[in-house]
Amino acid sequence: MPLPEITERVPLTLPDGRLDRRAVGWARRPLVDTDGVGRGLRGRGRTKRWEYWGVMTPTHVLALTVSSIDYAAVHEVWVLDRASGRTWGAAATVVPSRGVVLPGTLGDGPARARAKALAIDLDEVEGGTRLRARTRDVSFDVVAELPHGHERLAVVVPWSDTRFQYTVKDVARPARGTLWVDGRTVDVPAGSSWAVLDHGRGRWPYDVRWNWGAGSGESHGHVVGLQVGGRWTVGTGSTENAVLVDGRLHHLPEELDWDYDLADPDRPWRVTGGGLDATFEPFRTKVTRTNLGVVSSSTDQCFGTWSGTFTPPGGTGARPVRFAGLDGWAEEVHNRW
């Protein structure tokens, strides 16, 4: 049965904290109210909240994370020089979770992180979202613009009535601002810089694996945003797959096929299905390993460019959209948390 499109506001949870099944579906806007996540005793210790922003510029990659995973706050600021491969930044794991502010529902307030090594501020401003991050050796101040009519993929993934995730994947947000690194001021130029949001609220199983890929850019006269995922949604009836063309979202209800080999970091990744045939050419891999015994995380996040074709639904007359040079990433993650 096709996943329904949600067109009106709906709560993610019932008063007792269980999943409200009316929220299960996908939307073109953030229509799900997540203020109730974490209420009640059900799933205590399993609630996860985060905001992840990645920004691709012609010269650098900027990334930040503000999160609370119930028993800890986990934050990061990371910057990559695309030419030299040099990186800057800091990460912090704060136990128990403190020094973090996250809005109950996307857009309802700021997000803040404060730890010994970093500070992060996310604020909704006129025309978009302002991203500010600071560590001892790098900082940036960027606005991720929200163009009029720009659509955003919002999906609820239901493992059960007590384990579920609401995600907003927002690709191809035009970005502009300033980066300060190594005593230099570096422009984040409008027109060639792109921001992507991964917003999450939910209650997770202990052991989860996922793939995620995102790409943004202008190609062949179109603004194209690519959002692809896998593994974690299998068997739930939901997917987080979509292609954005000139601000219009095309949701792909099928699970996609991923073909890649982390043992060969130069080998291209390929993601196919639902009218999409996309190839990802990596130029840099960020490997993160955390093992605290009961809690562990393994992430291989590759940065590079996407190319390929997408044939929108609509019958045999639909013309394929060709794209090349979309800046972005593809990753494999395994969390025990």
Side-chain angles (χ1 to χ4, degrees), residues 219-234:
S219 182
H220 299 285
H222 298 284
V223 173
V224 179
L226 185 66
Q227 160 56 40
V228 290
R231 293 194 181 195
W232 72 291
T233 56
V234 172

Side-chain angles (χ1 to χ4, degrees), residues 157 229-241 252-258 271-274:
V157 177
R231 293 194 181 195
W232 72 291
T233 56
V234 172
T236 66
S238 296
T239 73
E240 58 164 357
N241 304 317
L252 311 183
E254 302 92 344
E255 292 288 348
L256 304 180
D257 293 322
W258 289 68
V271 181
T272 56

Side-chain angles (χ1 to χ4, degrees), residues 7 69 72 116 153 201 221 227 254 257 260 278 280 291 299 304 312:
T7 58
I69 58 172
K116 186 176 182 180
L153 178 65
R201 299 289 187 273
Q227 160 56 40
E254 302 92 344
D257 293 322
Y260 62 97
F280 175 75
N291 191 344
T299 300

Side-chain angles (χ1 to χ4, degrees), residues 220 222 245 275 277 308-313 315-323:
H220 299 285
H222 298 284
V245 181
D277 188 338
T309 61
F310 170 63
T311 304
T316 57
R319 299 183 61 182
V321 176
R322 299 186 180 277
F323 55 89

Side-chain angles (χ1 to χ4, degrees), residues 147-166:
H148 178 72
H150 175 92
E151 297 181 346
R152 298 172 272 179
L153 178 65
V155 175
V156 171
V157 177
W159 293 287
S160 72
D161 286 344
T162 58
R163 299 289 183 269
F164 46 86
Q165 170 71 355
Y166 172 64

Side-chain angles (χ1 to χ4, degrees), residues 3-331:
L3 192 68
E5 180 178 352
I6 295 171
T7 58
E8 298 180 351
R9 294 203 67 86
V10 62
L12 179 62
T13 54
L14 298 169
D16 65 358
R18 291 180 299 128
L19 174 65
D20 188 329
R21 288 281 168 174
R22 295 175 298 171
V24 177
W26 69 279
R28 301 176 184 276
R29 294 182 292 134
L31 291 175
V32 176
D33 182 333
T34 57
D35 285 358
V37 173
R39 290 178 183 163
L41 297 176
R42 293 179 181 272
R44 176 163 290 185
R46 311 272 8 113
T47 301
K48 318 297 179 187
R49 304 177 177 90
W50 68 72
E51 315 290 341
Y52 171 88
W53 282 93
V55 181
M56 302 286 289
T57 87
T59 59
H60 290 80
V61 179
L62 320 177
L64 62 82
T65 303
V66 179
S67 76
S68 173
I69 58 172
D70 246 7
Y71 44 82
V74 182
H75 315 305
E76 185 176 25
V77 177
W78 186 78
V79 173
L80 165 70
D81 185 313
R82 294 177 60 161
S84 69
R86 187 178 174 190
T87 62
W88 301 262
T93 300
V94 183
V95 182
S97 180
R98 61 188 186 279
V100 58
V101 174
L102 287 161
T105 296
L106 180 61
D108 281 359
R112 310 262 188 255
R114 295 291 184 272
K116 186 176 182 180
L118 57 77
I120 301 171
D121 293 277
L122 306 176
D123 295 281
E124 298 304 315
V125 297
E126 185 176 357
T129 306
R130 187 180 183 187
L131 322 175
R132 288 177 290 168
R134 183 180 71 253
T135 74
R136 293 187 181 92
D137 53 11
V138 69
S139 63
F140 55 83
D141 187 343
V142 172
V143 172
E145 298 176 356
L146 183 62
H148 178 72
H150 175 92
E151 297 181 346
R152 298 172 272 179
L153 178 65
V155 175
V156 171
V157 177
W159 293 287
S160 72
D161 286 344
T162 58
R163 299 289 183 269
F164 46 86
Q165 170 71 355
Y166 172 64
T167 183
V168 176
K169 294 297 201 309
D170 189 0
V171 297
R173 294 274 295 266
R176 55 180 169 80
T178 306
L179 165 69
W180 295 272
V181 60
D182 257 0
R184 298 179 297 127
T185 300
V186 181
D187 189 32
V188 176
S192 55
S193 302
W194 302 92
V196 171
L197 168 66
D198 174 11
H199 164 91
R201 299 289 187 273
R203 287 180 165 175
W204 282 72
Y206 170 65
D207 194 315
V208 177
R209 298 175 184 265
W210 71 71
N211 290 118
W212 178 36
S216 306
E218 289 192 56
S219 182
H220 299 285
H222 298 284
V223 173
V224 179
L226 185 66
Q227 160 56 40
V228 290
R231 293 194 181 195
W232 72 291
T233 56
V234 172
T236 66
S238 296
T239 73
E240 58 164 357
N241 304 317
V243 179
L244 189 78
V245 181
D246 296 327
R248 179 66 174 177
L249 190 77
H250 301 271
H251 179 241
L252 311 183
E254 302 92 344
E255 292 288 348
L256 304 180
D257 293 322
W258 289 68
D259 182 16
Y260 62 97
D261 183 1
L262 292 177
D264 183 0
D266 295 324
R267 178 188 167 189
W269 300 46
R270 193 160 179 229
V271 181
T272 56
L276 176 68
D277 188 338
T279 298
F280 175 75
E281 299 273 357
F283 63 75
R284 166 76 186 213
T285 301
K286 180 190 179 194
V287 178
T288 306
R289 303 284 187 264
T290 303
N291 191 344
L292 303 176
V294 175
V295 177
S296 67
S297 179
S298 173
T299 300
D300 292 83
Q301 186 180 25
C302 303
F303 296 91
T305 56
W306 290 90
S307 61
T309 61
F310 170 63
T311 304
T316 57
R319 299 183 61 182
V321 176
R322 299 186 180 277
F323 55 89
L326 305 186
D327 279 332
W329 52 82
E331 70 181 24

